[in-house]
Amino acid sequence: MKPRSLLASAMLGTAVLLSTSAHVLAADDEVILGFIVKKPEQAWFINEQKAATALGAEKGFKVVRLAGEDGQQVLSAIDNLNSQGAQGFVICPPDVRLGPSIMHRANQYGMKVITVDDRFVGGDGAPLEGVPHLGMSGYKIGQQVGNAIADEMEARGWDPAEVAALRITNYELPTAKERTDGASDALLERGFVEANIFDAPQQNTDTSSAFSAASPVISKNGDFEHWVIYALNEESVLGGVRATEQYGLAADDVIGVGINGSGAAFAEFSRDRPTGFYATVAVSSTSHGRETADSLYRWVTEDVEPSANVETQGTLMTRSNWEQVRDELGL
């Protein structure tokens, strides 16, 4: 190795050592934890970060709320946390495949990490071991969605052979595939026609991306008078609902069921007239924020390592009960 390369390596090692030492000293005086989310503007993640911050105020630790919408922004956020003396962070990653690189950076700084909602995967596609996770069973939540759709179809007297399903997909995200697979399987078990399920691959996980994906699918299959819609979250289902409205379908001809239980659903249920957004499977984002922050705090201060994988359950929220469910789940 050239002398200049040796010097650079030594300087880098010293810098990491100094930053780690500063981190340890900061831990003696104040507990500082990060909370990094991939979509900071979405209500779900806003609730998570607010809940974590509120818990910190109660228990006496600081929560630094940061955005991590791509890999580079996540690494910059971790560097930011280290400069503030943080001992660890909770993260919902923008891409679960970034897990190894994120953990490499966190380990350089001696930070503890918990994932929330989306779980890291390794190079083999399997969950990354050694990183505690709190989320939901995507497949089981998806089954709840599918059964809720089937129940409402029966209540409306729809013939499954005459109904089309808009499956808004994002198969690059394992959580999304688990949810839509669960919904599809539940519908098929309830007599839905597999040939009537149409995929609408979305580029992102928001309403505008889902709208763009859904519109041509609905237009191409205009012979169907009744549509059901499901996806990985509420925003995507709403994009599908907006597409049916643009096409001219009445709300009574559409059954859209989302997942989360956030502001997007509350706004839809609060409209003067019902829309095709029939329901959502609500999970407490507030609970996710509090529980992960609390687990990380105990891990840092008491050396109590969290469970490897904790899965929460969902509750069906409709226009008729959304306020009650919101209060019960603390949303």
Side-chain angles (χ1 to χ4, degrees), residues 32-112:
I32 301 173
L33 307 177
F35 205 113
I36 306 171
V37 298
K38 63 181 179 180
K39 291 289 183 181
E41 76 284 358
Q42 288 187 355
W44 174 272
F45 297 113
I46 292 172
N47 289 344
E48 282 188 336
Q49 289 187 323
K50 281 185 176 180
T53 302
L55 182 72
E58 292 174 18
K59 293 199 168 186
F61 63 90
K62 179 181 178 181
V63 174
V64 181
R65 298 185 286 189
L66 295 166
E69 300 189 58
D70 57 42
Q72 187 55 53
Q73 194 174 32
V74 169
L75 295 180
S76 295
I78 298 172
D79 292 340
N80 182 336
L81 289 172
N82 177 66
S83 70
Q84 298 189 55
Q87 294 90 355
F89 57 88
V90 177
I91 182 170
C92 179
D95 185 334
V96 295
R97 296 169 297 184
L98 292 171
S101 60
I102 292 172
M103 290 306 301
H104 178 72
R105 183 65 60 90
N107 289 335
Q108 280 186 314
Y109 296 139
M111 292 185 186
K112 300 183 186 302

Side-chain angles (χ1 to χ4, degrees), residues 133-153:
H133 175 71
L134 186 147
M136 60 185 93
S137 170
Y139 186 79
K140 291 180 181 178
I141 292 290
Q143 286 180 309
Q144 283 186 265
V145 169
N147 283 316
I149 291 173
D151 288 343
E152 184 61 15
M153 283 175 55

Side-chain angles (χ1 to χ4, degrees), residues 19 47 52 65 67 79 81 86 88 91 100 116 137 141 147 161 165 189 200 212-213 270 284 288 294 319:
S19 65
N47 289 344
R65 298 185 286 189
D79 292 340
L81 289 172
I91 182 170
V116 65
S137 170
I141 292 290
N147 283 316
E189 289 175 8
S212 298
S270 298
S284 179
H288 278 204
D294 189 50
R319 185 179 174 90

